[in-house]
Each structure stands twice: as structure tokens, then as C-alpha cells.
């Protein structure tokens, strides 16, 4: 049996190890797929936000440079031939997070397409927005004076304000993440490049007419008060007149501290001879500028944080060496709220995740918005930095990983397979154990039967020889010898009958002979036959029989059952102080019960359910010194079952045990 246990354990490990490895790897792979799937859809969410911002950037970068005037000219028109049409930028922005559009001129002055030059500021319908943009223009001038912008071709890759102006480095590359689609598609070679910018990568050239240039350069003193970029004070009339069309005899530039300084060397191309709009004619610019059109350098959109609430997205245009900044103001909290509401709140993702949109300046979080549900089991985190010009904006998702559709099936199948494997090994082990134990008990039974047969035969032979040799000296002694011979032959007869009966029952060859009666005759016959033995062993019999009506039972089976029960009580109780056997017969409407109680040592609690097994003997000091075959109670159970009854064993409250036979009426 020990060898079998070792082989079974080895076989179990051989089966369980690869099965366990397969299950673990499957769970790990499924977890990776769940994480990759969540990452894919999270990046899809970020991609939708990028698409909206990219469409905004592309729309604004594609605008004509003269749209930042209140009135614009159609192709072929001149200021003298037509007053122009209203710029589309003069209307309220369609996006809720846009405050408005304005242009910052080379001298730091301010103009906006939302303001007509002929309308006093107090009567303007957008006066509040214009006033706020004027204040932000002053802030922009301050930041610009701290780090003067370059007009080189690389300026699109620089932030206007530098380190002092809350600039966010747009060249920071996002960390590459494993994506679910990479299982099916090869990554595009320009994918990383596409992540760097939402719009144009480099500056572009655009041709404009002289009339369009005049619209850009025109700025009337009555329109918007022009403020100094450093102090915020209005410029004097000389500066106003000088900068009205973007030229003067003494060009205004900015030194390192933001103050104004005069320069006598000015490019002639920056001083075209033009007249006021009020004149009837406009001077011929061809004498100064030999071309009919201007080539304008238009840089990609850039961003600069003006304060905690406002962002200026602008492009630099260069006309004849002079730099103009055209752009629009974004209200940061409104932008964050819009992105969360438009792309996240209505999605199923929001039910088990949390999103955070934050504006980061030099590693410091300025403002943020949080939405969604957070939990203690959140184990997924993904952060996304938007490409320029929105590189100041980061988005992060914190989420619990939702289980894949197949995980529940996998768990059920894993548990089921594990249960079946373990149950199979338990069944195999128990079956083999029962077979081995049964075989061992059979072997013990053969040994016990041999001993049980040998003992009475030896006794009979001895007394027969004594009688034959005349050792008995008196008739009384001869009578004693004959009584012993009768007892041993009865014992031998009962043993042989038990073995034969057990064999027939085991082969299901014993016929059932039912007779009708009340068991009184059977009880009387058995007690009379066992009376002498009980007397010799010192036992007393207490018989209590209720009035019972006749029912059907197998007479021979009941006799053998009672003899075995009484014999067991005598055999195991002969060394007890109190030697008493009680037989009780009772009946109710459904069944008749016959119980035999003794005052012996009782049965161990663990053995109560096994005492009726074939060849079973409780392993203790009492059974080791008591002879027996282990088929007595097993035979009782089998004989009772042939009559449709049941048998049960229970220990008494004091000492001894009770065996109860229950037969149907």
C-alpha cells in the first residue's frame, strides 16, 4: 500500500504539473490580453481627444493671415474699390472654451477681428472678451520681452516665453506602449513622428497681395488703445503713427528689459509708401516693392500659458522681416471640462475608471479636472501627453481591469478540471485502499477462521480421547465432558454456518423464506439455547417485549442474527464488572424493532460506521486478545438487508452499546 501511495503521488504530480503550468500561463496570457485591450481602448479615447484638438489646430493653421482684421478683401479687391466683408473671426467662437482671436504686432500693440475700428470699445458687443484679451496681450508682451522670439526657420520648435513663461517642452516623446492592434498590424514607420505635432511640422510660405498686407498692417488709433509691452501704458502719438501700417522712420524694437529703443537702420521693404484709408488714392507700392505680392512666412501653432486660466495658441507670421503673432485664447478650465464631457462621461469606460486631465508647467501641475470612479482594486494606469501645440496637456486613466468574456469560462473550466482530476485521484486512491484493506481483511479472516476452527476441534479431540481412555472417574465428570463437547460442537457449528451463510449472501445465492409471526418463538428459542453459556459466563438476561402484531420475517435469519448479537455481547463483556444483556422488542405503525444492549466496553466512535463492514475488526487491545472472524456483524447486516430492514449501532449513555434491527411491517 505504501508503494502504491508513492506511485500515485508521482503520477499525480506528473499530471498536475503540466496542467497547472497550462492554467497559470493561460491566466497570465488572458490578463495580458485584458490589459492590452484596456490600453487599446484607453488610447482610442485619448486619440479621439487628439482628433478634436488636431481638427482645431488644422483649421486655425489654414486660416488666411488677413482674417485677423475685422474686414477682409475678396480676391482682386482693393481698399478703394470695396470696403471688404466681415472676417469669420469677428463672430463669437463656436467652441465654448475659446475666448476670442487677436493679433500681437511687432511693437506689442493689440488688434482683434472681434472689434470694428469705427466702433468705440464701450459699445462693442464683445467688450468684456476684448478687454480680457487686451490684458492677456500685455502679459504676452511681458513674457516675450523676457525671451525675445526668433524669426528663424526653427522658431516653430520653440516656445514663445521660454523658461520664464511657463513653456512646456513639446519635444518630449511619449513612452511607447504595447498595443492590441500591433498583433495584427505592423507599426507605421512615421508613427512616432505623427505623435510630435497635431498640425504642420515646419513653417510654410504664403503669398498675399498688397491689399491683404495693408489689412494686416492697418491699425487705427481710435480702435484699441495700444499698450507698452513692458509697462502696459499707451504708446505716444508718434509711436502710434509710426506703427499704424507697421513701419516708421524709427522702427520700434525691444531690448532685454522690455523698454523701447529707436533704430535708424530699417529695411526699406518694411516701409512701403501707403496712405491712410481716408485718402482717395493709395500710393503705388511698386516703386518700393517691385512685386505684386508679398511672401509671408507662416510658422506652426505654438502655445504659451499666460496665467492659470488662459492659454494663447498663436502662429508667427513674418512680413518683410517683421513678426506678427496671430492666435486665439483658450480658457483652460472650459477646455478640460469640454474634453471630459464630450469624450469620457458618456462612455462605459467611465463606470469603472477615473480620468484626470491636467495642465503641467515645468513639471508642476497648474490646474486639473478629475471625473469617473476610483476603487481600491485599480491596477491599471496609463498617462498620455498630447502633441504640440497642446504638449502642456496630459491625460491619465486609472482603472480596474475588467475581466474578459472568456475569463469566467476559463475559471469555471479550471475549477471543474481541477476538481475532476483531484476527485479522480481520490476515487482511485480510495478504491485501491478499500480493495487492499478488503484483501487484508480477507487474509485475516482466513487466518481467524482457521484458528476458530482449530480451537474447538482441538478441544473436542482432547475430550473424546479422555473419554476413550476412561479418564473420567465418575458419571458426573463424564456428563461434564459431554456438555463441553456439546458446547464446542455448537460453537463449531455456528462458525461453519456463519461462513457458509456469508458466502451464500456474498454470491447472492441465499433464498429468503418469509414466515408470519411475532418473533416471540425465535427469541425464546435463542435465549433457551444460549442460557447455559450465559450462565457459565455470569450474564443475566433482561427480556422486554411489547405486544406486537404478526409480520413477515425470515425465521432462520432472525435466529442467526440473535445468536451472533448475543455471542458478541458475551465475548466482549465477559471481563466487565456488570454483565447484563437486554433484549427489547417494540413496534409502531410502520416497523418492528429488535434491540440488543449490553454493558460491555462499547464501540469506538470512529468504528461505529464500520463495524458492519466485511471482515472488519476494531484494532484495540480488547479485540487483539478476543477471538473472532470479523463476519458476525457483517452477516447481521446482510441478513437484515435480505428482509428489507436496516441495522444501526450506538453506544449507551453509560457503558456498552446497542445494536438495533429494524424490519418493515
Amino acid at each position: 500500500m505504501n508503494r502504491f501511495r508513492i506511485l500515485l503521488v508521482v503520477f499525480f504530480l506528473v499530471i498536475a504539473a503540466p496542467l497547472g503550468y497550462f492554467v497559470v500561463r493561460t491566466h497570465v496570457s488572458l490578463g495580458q490580453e485584458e490589459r492590452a485591450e484596456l490600453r487599446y481602448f484607453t488610447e482610442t479615447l485619448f486619440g479621439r481627444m487628439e482628433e478634436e484638438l488636431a481638427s482645431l489646430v488644422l483649421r486655425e493653421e489654414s486660416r488666411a493671415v488677413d482674417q485677423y482684421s475685422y474686414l477682409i478683401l475678396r480676391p482682386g479687391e482693393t481698399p478703394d474699390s470695396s470696403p471688404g466683408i466681415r472676417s469669420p473671426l469677428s463672430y463669437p467662437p463656436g467652441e465654448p472654451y475659446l475666448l476670442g482671436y487677436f493679433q500681437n504686432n511687432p511693437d506689442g500693440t493689440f488688434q482683434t477681428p472681434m472689434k470694428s475700428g469705427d466702433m468705440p470699445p464701450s459699445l462693442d458687443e464683445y467688450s468684456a472678451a476684448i478687454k480680457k484679451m487686451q490684458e492677456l496681450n500685455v502679459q504676452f508682451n511681458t513674457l516675450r520681452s523676457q525671451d525675445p522670439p526668433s524669426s528663424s526657420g526653427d522658431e516653430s520648435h520653440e516656445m514663445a516665453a521660454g523658461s520664464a513663461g511657463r513653456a512646456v517642452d513639446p519635444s518630449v516623446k511619449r513612452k511607447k506602449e504595447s498595443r492590441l492592434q500591433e498583433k495584427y498590424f505592423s507599426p507605421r514607420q512615421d508613427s512616432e513622428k505623427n505623435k510630435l505635432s497635431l498640425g504642420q511640422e515646419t513653417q510654410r510660405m504664403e503669398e498675399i497681395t498688397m491689399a491683404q498686407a495693408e489689412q494686416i498692417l492697418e491699425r487705427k488709433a481710435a480702435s484699441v488703445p495700444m499698450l507698452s509691452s513692458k509697462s502696459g501704458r499707451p504708446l505716444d502719438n508718434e509711436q502710434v503713427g509710426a506703427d499704424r501700417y507697421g513701419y516708421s522712420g524709427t522702427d520700434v524694437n525691444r531690448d532685454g528689459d522690455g523698454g523701447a529703443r529707436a533704430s535708424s537702420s530699417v529695411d526699406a521693404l518694411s516701409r512701403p509708401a501707403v496712405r491712410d484709408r481716408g485718402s482717395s488714392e493709395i500710393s503705388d507700392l511698386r516703386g518700393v516693392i517691385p512685386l505684386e505680392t508679398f511672401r509671408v512666412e507662416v510658422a506652426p501653432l505654438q502655445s504659451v500659458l499666460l496665467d492659470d486660466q488662459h492659454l494663447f495658441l498663436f502662429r508667427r507670421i513674418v512680413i518683410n522681416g517683421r513678426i506678427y503673432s496671430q492666435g486665439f485664447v483658450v480658457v483652460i478650465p472650459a477646455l478640460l471640462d469640454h474634453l471630459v464631457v464630450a469624450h469620457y462621461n458618456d462612455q462605459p469606460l467611465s463606470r469603472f475608471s477615473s480620468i484626470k486631465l491636467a495642465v503641467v508647467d515645468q513639471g508642476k501641475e497648474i490646474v486639473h479636472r478629475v471625473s469617473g470612479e476610483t476603487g481600491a482594486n485599480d491596477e491599471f494606469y496609463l498617462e498620455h501627453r498630447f502633441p504640440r501645440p497642446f504638449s502642456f496637456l496630459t491625460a491619465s486613466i486609472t482603472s480596474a481591469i475588467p475581466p474578459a468574456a472568456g475569463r469566467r469560462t476559463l475559471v469555471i473550466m479550471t475549477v471543474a478540471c481541477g476538481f475532476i482530476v483531484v476527485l479522480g485521484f481520490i476515487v482511485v486512491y480510495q478504491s485501491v485502499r478499500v480493495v487492499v484493506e478488503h484483501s487484508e481483511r480477507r487474509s485475516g479472516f482466513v487466518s481467524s477462521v482457521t484458528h476458530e476452527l482449530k480451537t474447538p476441534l482441538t478441544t473436542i479431540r482432547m475430550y473424546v480421547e479422555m473419554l476413550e481412555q476412561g479418564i473420567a472417574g465418575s458419571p458426573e465428570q463424564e456428563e461434564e465432558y459431554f456438555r463441553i463437547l456439546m458446547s464446542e460442537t455448537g460453537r463449531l457449528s455456528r462458525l461453519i454456518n456463519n461462513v457458509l451463510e456469508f458466502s451464500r449472501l456474498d454470491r447472492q445465492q441465499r433464498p429468503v423464506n418469509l414466515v408470519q409471526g411475532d418473533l416471540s418463538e425465535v427469541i425464546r428459542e435463542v435465549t433457551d439455547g444460549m442460557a447455559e453459556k450465559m450462565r457459565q459466563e455470569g450474564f443475566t438476561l433482561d427480556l422486554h417485549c411489547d405486544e406486537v402484531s404478526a409480520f413477515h420475517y425470515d425465521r432462520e435469519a432472525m435466529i442467526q442474527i440473535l445468536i451472533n448479537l448475543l455471542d458478541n455481547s458475551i465475548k466482549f463483556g465477559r471481563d466487565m464488572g456488570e454483565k447484563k444483556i437486554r433484549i427489547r422488542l417494540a413496534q409502531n405503525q410502520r416497523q418492528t424493532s429488535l434491540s440488543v444492549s449490553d454493558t460491555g466496553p462499547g464501540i469506538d466512535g470512529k468504528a461505529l460506521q464500520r463495524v458492519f463492514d466485511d471482515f472488519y475488526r476494531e484494532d484495540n487491545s480488547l479485540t487483539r486478545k478476543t477471538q473472532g472472524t470479523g463476519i458476525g456483524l457483517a452477516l447481521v447486516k446482510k441478513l437484515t438487508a435480505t428482509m428489507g430492514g436496516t441495522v444501526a449501532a450506538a453506544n449507551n449513555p453509560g457503558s456498552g452499546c446497542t445494536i438495533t434491527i429494524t424490519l418493515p411491517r
Side-chain angles (χ1 to χ4, degrees):
M1 189 64 185
N2 289 334
R3 183 179 179 183
F4 171 75
R5 290 194 185 99
I6 294 174
L7 292 176
L8 193 64
V9 169
V10 171
F11 184 67
F12 178 79
L13 293 177
V14 170
I15 296 296
L19 181 61
Y21 177 79
F22 170 76
V23 170
V24 170
R25 289 304 306 166
T26 303
H27 277 276
V28 170
S29 299
L30 191 58
Q32 291 174 346
E33 187 169 341
E34 290 169 347
R35 185 177 292 273
E37 187 178 31
L38 179 59
R39 185 187 305 278
Y40 169 72
F41 289 107
T42 301
E43 290 182 343
T44 300
L45 174 67
F46 295 151
R48 291 179 179 179
M49 294 181 180
E50 275 192 11
E51 287 177 4
E52 178 177 352
L53 298 179
S55 64
L56 173 67
V57 170
L58 293 175
R59 184 191 70 189
E60 298 303 327
E61 287 183 339
S62 64
R63 292 191 184 279
V65 295
D66 62 337
Q67 288 188 8
Y68 280 80
S69 299
Y70 183 78
L71 296 175
I72 60 175
L73 299 176
R74 297 184 181 91
E77 294 180 344
T78 64
D80 293 333
S81 64
S82 172
I85 61 173
R86 188 172 175 179
S87 170
L89 303 186
S90 64
Y91 298 97
E95 290 78 6
Y97 49 84
L98 296 186
L99 180 63
Y101 297 82
F102 74 86
Q103 173 178 296
N104 180 273
N105 298 301
D107 61 351
T109 53
F110 165 89
Q111 72 180 58
T112 175
M114 300 174 67
K115 172 69 175 68
S116 171
D118 300 329
M119 184 180 297
S122 60
L123 299 179
D124 196 290
E125 55 181 325
Y126 312 127
S127 58
I130 294 174
K131 182 178 180 181
K132 184 61 180 179
M133 287 191 291
Q134 283 183 271
E135 297 173 357
L136 296 175
N137 181 67
V138 175
Q139 178 67 17
F140 179 74
N141 287 333
T142 302
L143 299 177
R144 190 181 69 171
S145 66
Q146 294 172 355
D147 188 8
S150 170
S151 61
S152 66
D154 295 333
E155 68 180 356
S156 62
H157 299 287
E158 301 174 2
M159 297 304 295
S163 61
R166 305 186 185 188
V168 181
D169 184 5
S171 64
V172 177
K173 296 181 180 180
R174 295 175 296 170
K175 183 179 180 181
K176 293 182 179 180
E177 300 286 353
S178 172
R179 300 191 179 190
L180 186 62
Q181 66 266 30
E182 291 180 2
K183 181 178 179 181
Y184 305 98
F185 297 102
S186 298
R188 293 180 54 185
Q189 295 181 355
D190 59 343
S191 60
E192 189 64 27
K193 177 181 177 182
N194 293 339
K195 297 177 185 178
L196 297 179
S197 176
L198 294 179
Q200 66 186 60
E201 286 288 332
T202 59
Q203 66 183 15
R204 60 182 172 87
M205 302 301 296
E206 183 177 331
E207 291 187 354
I208 62 173
T209 65
M210 286 183 291
Q212 289 177 308
E214 182 182 359
Q215 291 294 104
I216 298 171
L217 303 179
E218 181 179 9
R219 201 170 58 252
K220 291 187 177 181
S223 61
V224 179
M226 291 162 286
L227 306 178
S228 168
S229 63
K230 182 67 176 179
S231 63
R233 297 189 301 273
L235 300 175
D236 55 30
N237 293 332
E238 181 181 357
Q239 291 172 314
V240 171
D243 289 326
R244 182 173 182 179
Y245 294 103
Y247 70 95
S248 67
T250 58
D251 191 14
V252 178
N253 297 302
R254 298 291 161 189
D255 55 18
D257 59 357
R261 61 181 177 85
S263 174
S264 59
S265 59
V266 180
D267 190 343
L269 292 179
S270 66
R271 302 192 303 272
V274 296
R275 292 187 298 177
D276 291 349
R277 291 284 302 274
S279 303
S280 60
E281 297 180 355
I282 183 168
S283 299
D284 186 3
L285 298 181
R286 294 189 182 93
V288 179
I289 304 176
L291 302 175
E292 292 291 338
T293 60
F294 287 92
R295 290 181 63 84
V296 181
E297 298 178 5
V298 182
L301 278 179
Q302 306 175 52
S303 60
V304 61
L305 289 169
L306 301 177
D307 55 32
D308 294 347
Q309 302 293 314
H310 298 91
L311 167 80
F312 186 35
L313 280 174
F314 66 97
R315 64 183 181 184
R316 293 172 179 172
I317 64 171
V318 182
I319 305 178
N320 291 335
R322 298 175 65 84
I323 300 175
Y324 297 81
S325 298
Q326 296 180 338
F328 53 93
V329 177
V330 175
V331 182
I332 295 175
L335 172 63
L336 301 185
D337 291 338
H338 169 75
L339 291 177
V340 170
V341 172
H343 299 283
Y344 177 78
N345 283 352
D346 293 336
Q347 301 299 328
L349 182 65
S350 64
R351 294 197 290 266
F352 54 85
S353 67
S354 172
I355 190 172
K356 179 180 180 181
L357 292 177
V359 174
V360 180
D361 174 23
Q362 299 179 0
K364 181 181 178 182
E365 188 176 288
I366 304 302
V367 63
H368 70 269
R369 286 292 183 273
V370 177
S371 180
E373 298 292 333
T374 58
N377 296 326
D378 292 345
E379 51 182 337
F380 175 84
Y381 178 81
L382 182 64
E383 185 171 326
H384 178 85
R385 180 181 291 274
F386 290 87
R388 67 170 181 267
F390 286 92
S391 54
F392 59 88
L393 181 61
T394 63
S396 61
I397 288 283
T398 304
S399 173
I401 300 179
R407 179 170 287 277
R408 182 177 181 183
T409 302
L410 177 62
V411 171
I412 293 175
M413 293 304 298
T414 300
V415 173
C417 289
F419 177 76
I420 291 172
V421 170
V422 173
L423 181 63
F425 276 96
I426 292 175
V427 170
V428 170
Y429 174 76
Q430 291 293 339
S431 299
V432 173
R433 184 184 63 82
V434 169
V435 170
V436 171
E437 290 183 355
H438 194 71
S439 177
E440 291 176 350
R441 289 201 298 267
R442 275 183 179 274
S443 179
F445 165 73
V446 173
S447 177
S448 298
V449 167
T450 303
H451 186 271
E452 288 287 318
L453 290 173
K454 184 178 179 181
T455 301
L457 286 174
T458 302
T459 304
I460 292 171
R461 181 177 179 180
M462 181 184 67
Y463 279 97
V464 169
E465 289 178 353
M466 291 172 64
L467 288 171
E468 189 177 49
Q469 295 174 6
I471 296 178
S474 63
E476 291 81 6
Q477 195 168 11
E478 287 182 358
E479 186 178 348
E480 180 67 22
Y481 288 172
F482 283 120
R483 189 176 65 252
I484 294 174
L485 288 173
M486 182 63 69
S487 175
E488 291 300 321
T489 54
R491 174 184 172 189
L492 185 60
S493 177
R494 288 195 301 272
L495 178 59
I496 294 173
N497 287 337
N498 282 344
V499 173
L500 294 175
E501 196 76 7
F502 183 84
S503 177
R504 287 197 297 266
L505 289 169
D506 198 38
R507 295 195 305 267
Q508 298 181 352
Q509 294 179 351
R510 184 190 184 280
V512 180
N513 300 315
L514 297 178
V515 296
Q516 189 170 9
D518 58 1
L519 275 183
S520 58
E521 182 184 354
V522 171
I523 295 174
R524 184 168 58 254
E525 181 179 343
V526 172
T527 54
D528 290 344
M530 298 289 293
E532 182 60 26
K533 185 175 181 179
M534 293 175 62
R535 184 186 64 79
Q536 291 178 359
E537 297 290 345
F539 280 86
T540 59
L541 179 64
D542 182 12
L543 184 61
H544 181 76
C545 297
D546 293 343
E547 184 103 15
V548 298
S549 59
F551 65 98
H552 289 86
Y553 61 90
D554 189 326
R555 184 175 184 280
E556 295 298 326
M558 288 304 302
I559 291 175
Q560 199 160 3
I561 288 173
L562 272 175
I563 290 175
N564 280 328
L565 293 179
L566 292 175
D567 191 56
N568 269 356
S569 297
I570 294 171
K571 182 167 57 177
F572 290 101
R574 58 166 52 104
D575 295 330
M576 302 299 293
E578 182 182 7
K579 300 178 182 180
K580 187 176 182 180
I581 298 176
R582 181 184 301 108
I583 299 177
R584 184 176 184 273
L585 179 64
Q587 191 179 64
N588 57 30
Q589 294 180 352
R590 299 180 57 187
Q591 59 191 17
T592 302
S593 61
L594 175 66
S595 60
V596 178
S597 301
D598 57 42
T599 55
I603 303 173
D604 185 71
K606 297 179 180 178
L608 280 174
Q609 301 301 322
R610 303 189 61 191
V611 292
F612 298 103
D613 293 348
D614 297 347
F615 315 117
Y616 178 80
R617 297 195 75 202
E618 188 179 357
D619 187 14
N620 54 40
S621 59
L622 182 61
T623 57
R624 282 193 291 270
K625 69 180 182 180
T626 303
Q627 296 179 351
T629 60
I631 64 172
L633 291 180
L635 187 60
V636 169
K637 180 179 180 181
K638 290 178 181 293
L639 290 172
T640 303
T642 61
M643 295 181 288
T646 59
V647 61
N651 287 319
N652 298 330
S655 62
C657 69
T658 300
I659 306 295
T660 303
I661 308 297
T662 303
L663 299 174
R665 290 189 60 180

